[in-house]
Amino acid sequence: MSTGSQGPDVAALLSGLDPEQRRVAETLRGPVRVLAGAGTGKTRAITHRIAHGVLTGVYAPTEVLAVTFTTRAAGEMRGRLRGLGAGGVQARTFHAAALRQLRYFWPHVHGTELPTLTESKIPMVRDALRQLRINGDLALWRDLSSEIEWAKVSNVRPEDYPAIATARDRSVAQLDVDTVARVLSGYEDVKRGQGRMDMEDVLLLTAGILADDERVAAQVRRQYKWFVVDEFQDVSPLQSALLDLWLGGRDEICVVGDPAQTIYSFAGANADYLRDFPRKYDATTSIELVRNYRSTPEVVGAANTLLAGTTSTSVELRAQQPSGASVVYEGHPDEVAEAAAVAARVSTLRAAGHALSETAVLFRINAQSEAYEEALTDAGIPYVIRGGARFFDRPEVREAVTRLRGAARSGASPAEGDTWVDLVRDTLAGMGWTTAAPEARGQTRDRWESWQALVSQADAFATADAQADLNGFVDDLDRRATEQHAPVAEGVTLATFHAAKGLEWDAVFLVGVQDGTLPFTYATSPAAIEEERRLLYVGMTRARSDLVISWAQARNPGQAARRKPSRFLIPLLPASAQPTQGGQRSSSRKGARTCVECGKPLAPADKARRRCADCPVRYDEELFERLREWRKQRAAAEEIAAFMVFSNATLELVAELKPRTPVALKSISGIGPEKLEKYGPDLLELVG
């Protein structure tokens, strides 16, 4: 409900807003929840709401606190508020707002200096490991630092960590959950002994003072009477608790977010606070921003289709831009060919007058960047890395190249019967590389991917030149490093999907969109897989006009084409690009003569299992056998053929995707409304 006069200044302020944005700006009293889809102008809406409240006298500028999650977003909000005549409003990150309060109140409450804010957890993690007599390296220190952060923002104490981590399928490198719990406890001991605090302590200590000292809490609540929280889907349990203490039982709060852009659950973000906001505040006014001003109808339509049929509570976007180019879906024989194709398309865009700074290549993990760094360099196209070091700047890559250079200069020879490529493998194995990917996640996996990229490059270098040797390979690596590290004023942005959140470009290339990469191999639970789907959604909605989505059927040239496009792409791909073998719509006809995974002709002995003997099975074989036994019993009871219940291909999909809801079950090929009603409860029980 609007409050205050509606004079000419107010009319001018609100005149440029669409109906939904205007409703946000006019609803000055809380509680308010704004579900804002990608590109719908949420920052515009909430800054105009604040400015409207200031202009009409409902808000005193100094009594408003707007909080968000990044310094960049807070700075953008402050700039917009100044331009709207509300420059006195505080717009800060959670940590900046809490640290400001903590620095002021701590000496008054405790009579001592505030602990020193540490820039990095790593030195204290290293000391904690030493006290436990555990050897570690930089990758382990980083992974443990991330786990400590998750535990603290999730209010998980060291003594509770083993049970909670097991229930949530969390792991850190080779350490068991009890050991990680001891590291968490040891880290806190080391930190206290050094008189330090970390960024999570800033929130914890501020919350502690507000909870324990009513005078401090009362002073803060007198100061701030109106709250706005942006990106509310990313709020952690600790941030939610601090926000409740700031409010002190009041409900003058406006939250803004999009459940479809929840991509930081691994770091403690919990979109339930946004979804359940009306339950917490009975008088909530809920408003949806649905008009997408960023992207063409083609991009918006693809993004909406990606989420259709899922359990997401996101809004359905409505494009406001004129029609543009169709979304392009491309499969390539290998990653080298995929990168070359992207570079060629970028060259075409540049020739047509498109700015390189308005072009981005997005991938799932940092280790994928090397192929695109090389391809763009070969094409004479400058680039910039966002959110991660260039491939040859990564510590593990620098050390590996140094070791390989040392081996080449010392004249090291491979063992009898081996090649110089085997010597490369042996050198990297001495650093921790293994032929199989590690089960560990995080930095450990990223580091392995970097080493694996070097191994793959060695294989490719040897294949291209039969006379190649280790010296030539090291020279080639040095050349790549020199060329790719040249400073550039502007260029194509290379970034992970996570690093791209909140940004936008005219042209976006989403690369490596194949199963095993997106969704990532570690995403096994339904919740984790849906987060990977949201990650793709975030990537797609970064594009204004041109969107190209591609995948590679193999990692290196000459390898078997065993990869398939991501399962998320199935409803988006044109019929000509649908996977027909090994994908979500693989053939299930009896006596199939080709492998359902790689598509190659089957040997006679493999025809019964419909796979080559060395092809991996994607699905849970135990669950698949239970499903087959259930199908056999149902078919017998109904006196029909087993395939009339479900085909093997459909049961394989159920065993792979493990759907937990009727909506998820219905999205599987072969399960229509009738079969969902008839067999759905049985399937969900078997999966559960």
Side-chain angles (χ1 to χ4, degrees):
M1 182 175 73
S2 177
T3 305
S5 63
Q6 293 291 315
D9 290 342
V10 170
L13 176 71
L14 303 179
S15 63
L17 303 180
D18 69 29
E20 294 81 21
Q21 292 171 346
R22 182 167 183 136
R23 188 180 173 208
V24 172
E26 290 183 329
T27 309
L28 298 180
R29 303 301 300 267
V32 179
R33 181 184 70 165
V34 182
L35 294 179
T40 57
K42 65 181 177 66
T43 305
R44 178 179 178 82
I46 59 176
T47 52
H48 278 72
R49 178 181 186 269
I50 294 171
H52 182 206
V54 170
L55 183 61
T56 55
V58 177
Y59 308 156
T62 56
E63 294 176 350
V64 180
L65 179 59
V67 289
T68 186
F69 284 82
T70 67
T71 302
R72 181 186 64 81
E76 179 185 356
M77 194 178 294
R78 284 195 297 272
R80 294 201 189 192
L81 288 169
R82 281 195 301 271
L84 295 171
V89 171
Q90 295 291 314
R92 299 178 178 274
T93 65
F94 266 102
H95 285 90
L99 184 58
R100 189 165 183 258
Q101 295 172 19
L102 193 61
R103 282 175 171 159
Y104 180 81
F105 289 113
W106 183 273
H108 297 289
V109 173
H110 294 282
T112 62
E113 291 284 329
L114 184 67
T116 302
L117 181 60
T118 184
E119 294 183 359
S120 171
K121 293 182 177 66
I122 287 178
M124 293 178 289
V125 169
R126 185 177 57 213
D127 290 347
L129 286 171
R130 285 173 179 166
Q131 291 181 4
L132 294 171
R133 298 183 180 179
I134 298 174
N135 295 323
D137 55 20
L138 184 59
L140 179 60
W141 301 336
R142 286 175 175 168
D143 287 342
L144 283 168
S145 296
S146 297
E147 195 68 0
I148 289 168
E149 179 179 339
W150 170 81
K152 296 180 77 167
V153 302
S154 302
N155 291 327
V156 175
R157 299 175 300 178
E159 57 267 33
D160 300 326
Y161 177 84
I164 294 175
T166 300
R168 301 190 186 181
D169 192 30
R170 298 190 69 89
S171 62
V172 181
Q174 71 275 19
L175 303 181
D176 59 70
V177 291
D178 292 312
T179 301
V180 175
R182 289 196 295 273
V183 174
L184 265 60
S185 180
Y187 166 83
E188 294 298 326
D189 291 339
V190 169
K191 179 164 57 65
R192 280 193 297 269
Q194 296 180 1
R196 295 180 177 273
M197 64 178 180
D198 57 29
M199 290 301 288
E200 292 70 53
D201 289 329
V202 171
L203 303 183
L204 284 164
L205 295 176
T206 304
I209 287 180
L210 292 171
D212 296 340
D213 194 311
E214 276 301 321
R215 293 171 302 171
V216 172
Q219 188 171 341
V220 170
R221 291 164 191 162
R222 283 195 301 270
Q223 172 70 55
Y224 296 118
K225 299 176 181 176
W226 316 90
F227 292 85
V228 176
V229 187
D230 193 15
E231 302 288 0
F232 200 67
Q233 77 278 351
D234 291 335
V235 164
S236 69
L238 176 55
Q239 289 164 333
S240 177
L242 177 59
L243 186 58
D244 286 344
L245 288 164
W246 281 340
L247 284 163
R250 298 168 295 173
D251 63 1
E252 292 297 351
I253 178 172
C254 171
V255 301
V256 189
D258 181 7
Q261 297 188 67
T262 305
I263 58 174
Y264 290 108
S265 295
F266 65 90
N270 189 340
D272 286 346
Y273 294 117
L274 177 62
R275 281 190 286 262
D276 297 341
F277 189 83
R279 296 182 187 175
K280 184 173 183 178
Y281 298 100
D282 292 337
T284 294
T285 300
S286 282
I287 304 169
E288 294 187 354
L289 300 183
V290 298
R291 302 171 197 254
N292 178 285
Y293 297 96
R294 176 187 300 158
S295 308
T296 62
E298 289 77 8
V299 173
V300 169
N304 283 337
T305 300
L306 177 69
L307 294 185
T310 70
T311 57
S312 171
T313 55
S314 176
V315 302
E316 183 171 346
L317 299 174
R318 296 187 346 227
Q320 305 299 300
Q321 295 294 335
S323 183
S326 298
V327 177
V328 175
Y329 303 93
E330 289 184 334
H332 299 280
D334 52 68
E335 290 182 3
V336 175
E338 184 181 15
V342 168
R345 282 187 176 272
V346 173
S347 294
T348 300
L349 287 171
R350 179 168 64 171
H354 290 256
L356 294 179
S357 59
E358 288 296 342
T359 304
V361 179
L362 308 182
F363 32 77
R364 177 62 179 81
I365 57 174
N366 280 316
Q368 292 173 268
S369 74
E370 197 271 341
Y372 297 92
E373 295 176 45
E374 174 70 9
L376 292 171
T377 298
D378 287 347
I381 300 170
Y383 62 86
V384 292
I385 304 286
R386 183 179 184 88
R390 289 180 171 85
F391 181 78
F392 287 99
D393 278 345
R394 296 169 194 160
E396 67 272 15
V397 175
R398 287 204 307 268
E399 182 183 352
V401 173
T402 298
R403 290 195 183 195
L404 291 171
R405 186 182 297 112
R409 289 178 177 173
S410 68
S413 302
E416 186 175 352
D418 286 348
T419 67
W420 67 266
V421 177
D422 294 313
L423 184 57
V424 171
R425 293 192 180 95
D426 290 343
T427 301
L428 297 181
M431 297 177 63
W433 173 80
T434 56
T435 54
E439 293 184 2
R441 313 181 188 190
Q443 291 287 335
T444 300
R445 174 69 185 225
D446 289 347
R447 187 174 59 168
W448 180 88
E449 290 281 0
S450 295
W451 290 331
Q452 182 61 35
L454 290 173
V455 172
S456 298
Q457 185 57 39
D459 287 332
F461 193 73
T463 301
D465 183 359
Q467 304 303 314
D469 58 13
L470 182 59
N471 281 291
F473 178 59
V474 171
D475 289 343
D476 184 64
L477 293 179
D478 287 340
R479 174 191 64 78
R480 290 166 180 263
T482 300
E483 292 177 354
Q484 294 175 17
H485 294 166
V488 293
E490 87 148 29
V492 174
T493 299
L494 300 182
T496 64
F497 286 89
H498 284 98
K501 188 172 182 291
L503 304 175
E504 58 187 78
W505 297 268
D506 287 343
V508 172
F509 295 83
L510 307 182
V511 300
V513 186
Q514 60 261 341
D515 261 351
T517 304
L518 193 70
F520 201 47
T521 184
Y522 291 131
T524 55
S525 69
I529 289 172
E530 284 308 300
E531 180 134 333
E532 295 286 300
R533 183 193 299 274
R534 294 193 295 270
L535 194 57
L536 179 58
Y537 175 85
V538 166
M540 293 171 70
T541 54
R542 300 310 95 196
R544 297 191 191 105
S545 55
D546 293 275
L547 177 61
V548 179
I549 302 176
S550 62
W551 59 93
Q553 296 167 335
R555 182 166 193 146
N556 298 311
Q559 290 182 336
R562 293 180 178 172
R563 291 174 170 178
K564 302 300 175 186
S566 170
R567 69 194 72 172
F568 302 145
L569 298 180
I570 298 305
L572 296 166
L573 294 177
S576 59
Q578 289 283 355
T580 56
Q581 299 292 341
Q584 275 63 29
R585 297 188 180 180
S586 58
S587 170
S588 62
R589 60 187 176 86
K590 187 176 180 180
R593 298 178 180 275
T594 56
C595 174
V596 295
E597 294 296 339
C598 68
K600 290 184 176 180
L602 288 169
D606 296 329
K607 287 184 179 179
R609 66 191 297 269
R610 304 188 307 122
R611 285 177 176 74
C612 298
D614 58 346
C615 275
V617 174
R618 294 170 179 264
Y619 54 80
D620 183 329
E621 293 182 86
E622 236 179 80
L623 175 57
F624 178 66
E625 290 306 319
R626 291 202 303 272
L627 290 167
R628 288 185 63 190
E629 181 59 30
W630 164 83
R631 181 182 64 178
K632 179 181 177 182
Q633 294 174 5
R634 284 300 299 256
E638 297 177 23
E639 298 183 345
I640 58 175
F643 75 86
M644 296 176 69
V645 179
F646 286 119
S647 68
N648 278 345
T650 297
L651 294 186
E652 287 175 5
L653 271 176
V654 173
E656 178 184 350
L657 301 178
K658 298 180 180 178
R660 301 301 177 105
T661 66
V663 172
L665 197 58
K666 187 179 177 182
S667 68
I668 292 177
S669 177
I671 302 182
E674 291 184 8
K675 289 193 175 183
L676 178 66
E677 182 178 355
K678 188 174 184 180
Y679 302 124
D682 285 358
L683 291 180
L684 293 174
E685 184 177 349
L686 285 164
V687 170

